[in-house]
Amino acid sequence: MNIRDRQILQIALPSIVSNITVPLLGMIDVAIVGHMGSAAYIGAVAVGSMIFNLVYWLFGFLRMGSSGLTAQALGRRDLTEVIRLLIRALAVALGIALLLIICQEPLRWLMFWLIGPTPDVAPFATTYFYIVIWGAPASLGLFSLSGWFIGMQNTRIPMFISIMQNIVNILASLTLVYGFGMKIEGVALGTVIAQYAGFIVALGLLINYYGRLRRHLVMKGTFVREAMGRFFNVNRDIFLRTLCLVAVNLFFTSAGARSGAVILSVNTVMMQLYLFFSYFMDGFAYAGEALGGKTYGAKNGEAFRETLHHLFLWAAGVTLLYTLVYVVAGSWIVTILTDETQVLAASHDYLWWVWLIPVAGATAFIWDGVFIGITATRGMLISSFVSALLFFVVYEAAQGIMGNHALWLAMIVYLAMRGMIQTGWYKVKLANNI
């Protein structure tokens, strides 16, 4: 194994562990409320988690924008700019969090209007929302810190934080619910406590590992128009790109729901297989952010192209592995996820679409990471916008003939086109400048 492969794995593997632990925060809450004696509690946590997952996903640019810019500054050995980027990202994160807290009532109304919780769930979901919203500063601040750590080629700290948050969430929620007799309030408070614990520990690790960088702190120039303009231009493209992804995912869910409970359940189960694949590919995307940004910032074209080559080799290996697993053991995996007879029977007609997901989606994952690393965010935005538009066109054209299969056809086309457009964008717009 050569040095590039080792560098990739040193960043990718901790990121994969972090990705796997993230969904556990929501699963822990569901497991606790699942023993409270009312399905309304489960529904409330499901609605509340969906709201904050959606809101925080939209502000994911705080992590992605920070990682690429930081990696480039590190590659240039511009440690003053490295510190300035951290301060900018944290300032913007806390500003957005403050705005969310101030506007929590219209935000809650909008999200409830979009999701439409039932009357028995709505009061508990409201309680959950009004408590967890106070975790916004910690969550968004941690986004900025995680992106900065990745840009600094360090994914071990984000991995440690993810694991630690889950442990704190379990202990805090169980103590509040069973020790102090709280219900949904205890689960919500446990989530907030875990969020702040993660943020505080991240700040502590920042000081411990990177405290020496304080001598490069120069506040003058941190918030000048040119620097802030670049920061917001990069993040604007990522934000708009995320809107395209959110639109596709929300429509995928709503269109499946219109086909009935069985089809909705089938689509949900099948999408879990997509998520399993994405957890691994995101790890290599993070490696693309960190290593691609660093070599690009250092103006080392040879190292950049070598890193890109090895990233796609790893992507090919992961794609082949997942495709084989899904072809050979896909049906067995579905039986682990659900034991509903109707869902299992219907899933056989759709399982072959899952076989195509790794092949269709792998290229887009790697390019997303690389484009973030070199801050070629306009290419990401255009590829996502065109692919999302094509998703809706394909679905509308085929759904009368193919039914729910049209939804999966549109998703496969969407994933494949993102990768194809980004490949073309790189060759035409970027390759000759690196």
Side-chain angles (χ1 to χ4, degrees), residues 28 53 61 94 98 108 209 213 260 269 273 289 303 321 374 427:
I28 291 165
N53 286 342
F61 63 79
L94 297 179
L98 180 61
R108 184 200 64 80
Y209 282 90
L213 295 178
V269 170
L273 301 183
E289 293 178 30
L321 174 64
I374 64 176
K427 290 181 177 179

Side-chain angles (χ1 to χ4, degrees), residues 21-259:
T21 61
V22 167
L24 291 178
L25 279 170
M27 292 171 61
I28 291 165
D29 288 348
V30 171
I32 292 173
V33 299
H35 295 84
M36 287 184 180
S38 173
Y41 291 127
I42 300 176
V45 169
V47 169
S49 298
M50 185 185 301
I51 289 172
F52 288 103
N53 286 342
L54 181 57
V55 171
Y56 292 152
W57 192 16
L58 288 174
F59 294 115
F61 63 79
L62 291 166
R63 187 204 64 76
M64 290 182 276
S66 299
S67 64
L69 292 170
T70 302
Q72 289 182 37
L74 181 65
R76 297 192 304 268
R77 301 303 299 168
D78 187 352
L79 299 182
T80 297
E81 183 61 13
V82 164
I83 292 297
R84 284 172 173 167
L85 283 163
L86 175 62
I87 295 171
R88 282 185 207 122
L90 283 173
V92 172
L94 297 179
I96 292 172
L98 180 61
L99 188 62
L100 289 175
I101 290 172
I102 293 172
C103 300
Q104 60 182 277
E105 183 54 38
L107 176 63
R108 184 200 64 80
W109 180 88
L110 174 63
M111 288 299 171
F112 274 42
W113 177 75
L114 286 172
I115 298 171
T118 56
D120 60 327
V121 168
F124 298 119
T126 299
T127 299
Y128 185 90
F129 174 88
Y130 282 140
I131 294 174
V132 175
I133 189 66
W134 290 96
S139 289
L140 297 184
L142 196 52
F143 276 12
S144 296
L145 285 171
S146 295
W148 190 84
F149 286 135
I150 291 170
M152 295 296 287
Q153 320 294 294
N154 187 338
T155 54
R156 295 183 303 278
I157 289 178
M159 177 188 70
F160 174 77
I161 297 297
S162 294
I163 295 172
M164 185 273 296
Q165 278 188 307
N166 279 286
I167 295 172
V168 171
N169 191 33
I170 292 171
L171 295 176
S173 295
L174 288 175
T175 300
L176 292 170
V177 171
Y178 296 106
F180 291 88
M182 293 183 178
K183 295 290 187 180
I184 198 75
E185 298 89 346
V187 173
L189 280 172
T191 298
V192 173
I193 290 170
Q195 289 168 339
Y196 277 100
F199 183 54
I200 292 169
V201 170
L203 289 175
L205 292 172
L206 171 71
I207 294 170
N208 184 57
Y209 282 90
Y210 299 100
R212 66 188 185 280
L213 295 178
R214 281 178 293 186
R215 65 178 181 269
H216 298 282
L217 174 60
V218 179
M219 288 301 297
K220 184 179 179 181
T222 300
F223 297 104
V224 295
R225 179 178 298 180
E226 182 181 355
M228 293 301 292
R230 187 183 183 212
F231 184 83
F232 280 110
N233 283 339
V234 168
N235 288 328
R236 178 199 61 207
D237 289 345
I238 297 174
F239 176 76
L240 294 174
R241 170 255 190 186
T242 303
L243 282 179
C244 294
L245 270 62
V246 168
V248 168
N249 285 315
L250 285 178
F251 184 85
F252 187 92
T253 301
S254 63
R258 290 196 296 271
S259 299

Side-chain angles (χ1 to χ4, degrees), residues 264-293:
L264 174 60
S265 299
V266 169
N267 287 352
T268 301
V269 170
M270 296 294 108
M271 283 301 289
Q272 297 308 305
L273 301 183
Y274 168 70
L275 290 175
F276 295 156
F277 173 69
S278 72
Y279 295 153
F280 269 76
M281 286 308 302
D282 265 339
F284 292 97
Y286 288 177
E289 293 178 30
L291 297 171

